[in-house]
Amino acid sequence: MTNREPITCQDTTWLVSDSCERELTAEEKADLHGHIATCELCQGASKQFDVLFQQIRLFFSKDIQPGGDASE
Amino acid sequence: MTDAYKTSVIDEIATYRPVLFRIAMLQLRDAAAAEDATQEALLAAIQTHDKFEGRAALRTWLISILRFKVLDSLRQRQRQGMPVDPGQLSVELDTAKFATLFDETGCWATPKDAWTNPETHVSRIEFFRVLEACLTKLPTNTSRVFLMREWLELTSDEICSETGVTAGNLRVLLYRARMQLRSCLDVSWDRSQ
Ligand SMILES: [Zn+2]
């Protein structure tokens, strides 16, 4: 690991959103988890994001496939 | 299955019309198209309801049927395309609105004890209502691309070609959607405590 600038809370939120879209790089993951481990505010926010993402999955749940003509 | 049971399932399906319409509307932004998709979803549900077991998940099942109807609707309209309004998009991409969330060093501007803990005992029905209200508060294009991603599960390329937004702007809109939903739910979680 090189001596990179530590990431900010704001950077952290971008990584949280990007992680829904793509696999983060090892460096990004290290930055994200490193920051959250030391930042109480981001720990609170990350708990909220976890619940939000879980609720969104439930809201738009596609667990049950419709019958009949609805499939592709 | 008794006739009385069938009738009551059909009656119950019909009670979901308003919520299905509201969700279709969030995605399609066109009352006639949303009404058609809702109607088709309800008809498909009523025709195939005997295949459906477990009424607890009725809502889930109806939303999954609606999803296919909304996808059909989007495909039909693809010939015309549904480009976003550039003026409205630039408002939604405006950074000023988010500046207050963080201080100049990029740290949360929220006081440390202000976070609400989402581990409250909100019922699922209550939470669906709150989340729907928060989704409705998102700006037009933000909610449209967010639902395309989270509900319809279109790829970024598909969303960009459907809406005409760049990949960079799509990333910003999805970020904004998640940030705004978190803030909106934060307030709701707070109220429920
Ligand atoms: Zn932080």
Side-chain angles (χ1 to χ4, degrees):
Chain A
M1 287 277 170
T2 51
N3 288 324
R4 298 194 309 279
E5 283 281 303
I7 65 166
T8 66
C9 300
Q10 193 164 13
D11 299 333
T12 304
T13 58
W14 277 100
L15 289 177
V16 167
S17 180
D18 286 350
S19 72
C20 300
E21 302 300 312
R22 62 176 172 87
E23 177 83 13
L24 299 181
T25 66
E27 201 169 73
E28 286 171 329
K29 281 181 191 166
D31 282 344
L32 178 62
H33 297 134
H35 178 95
I36 290 177
T38 58
C39 175
E40 267 187 84
L41 282 168
C42 282
Q43 283 162 22
S46 118
K47 207 181 243 181
Q48 291 186 330
F49 278 120
D50 285 347
V51 172
L52 170 65
F53 297 157
Q54 187 198 340
Q55 294 191 341
I56 287 166
R57 278 195 299 276
L58 273 176
F59 189 87
F60 292 127
S61 180
K62 292 170 288 289
D63 295 346
I64 298 169
Q65 288 307 307
D69 65 341
S71 56
E72 304 269 337
Chain B
M1 198 185 287
T2 65
D3 285 350
Y5 175 79
K6 280 189 183 177
T7 308
S8 69
V9 174
I10 290 171
D11 285 348
E12 200 174 332
I13 288 171
T15 66
Y16 282 88
R17 176 186 287 276
V19 68
L20 295 178
F21 174 77
R22 290 197 299 270
I23 295 174
M25 196 58 190
L26 277 173
Q27 183 66 83
L28 295 170
R29 298 288 168 185
D30 178 287
E35 186 53 56
D36 286 350
T38 304
Q39 186 62 24
E40 285 173 24
L42 288 170
L43 280 176
I46 288 167
Q47 278 160 12
T48 59
H49 78 274
D50 52 336
K51 293 182 191 148
F52 175 72
E53 284 163 32
R55 292 171 67 174
L58 187 58
R59 180 190 180 284
T60 305
W61 180 63
L62 290 172
I63 286 181
S64 71
I65 296 176
L66 181 67
R67 176 175 174 269
F68 286 107
K69 301 303 177 189
V70 166
L71 278 169
D72 282 348
S73 181
L74 283 178
R75 280 194 209 107
Q76 281 164 23
R77 289 196 297 172
Q78 214 140 42
R79 274 167 275 128
Q80 299 102 292
M82 280 281 288
V84 301
D85 170 26
Q88 170 65 25
L89 181 64
S90 69
V91 171
E92 293 180 34
L93 290 170
D94 183 17
T95 48
K97 207 167 134 196
F98 274 80
T100 54
L101 265 181
F102 300 99
D103 67 21
E104 63 283 354
T105 68
C107 189
W108 290 101
T110 326
K112 194 164 113 183
D113 54 1
W115 289 125
T116 57
N117 191 336
E119 285 165 340
T120 52
H121 306 286
V122 184
S123 73
R124 186 170 289 193
I125 297 300
E126 170 65 6
F127 130 69
F128 280 147
R129 195 190 59 72
V130 170
L131 183 59
E132 190 196 322
C134 290
L135 283 167
T136 308
K137 281 182 201 155
L138 293 178
T140 311
N141 296 311
T142 305
S143 67
R144 205 173 137 215
V145 300
F146 185 70
L147 261 67
M148 282 179 169
R149 194 79 189 91
E150 298 286 343
W151 184 36
L152 304 183
E153 292 182 338
L154 301 182
T155 65
S156 300
D157 286 349
E158 287 169 327
I159 299 172
C160 291
S161 77
E162 165 76 15
T163 58
V165 304
T166 63
N169 283 345
L170 176 62
R171 176 175 179 250
V172 176
L173 290 176
L174 292 173
Y175 172 76
R176 295 289 168 84
R178 294 181 178 118
M179 293 298 279
Q180 287 178 59
L181 288 173
R182 191 208 56 80
S183 298
C184 181
L185 289 174
D186 186 38
V187 173
S188 310
W189 285 323
D190 198 27
R191 279 206 203 109
S192 65
Q193 277 173 340

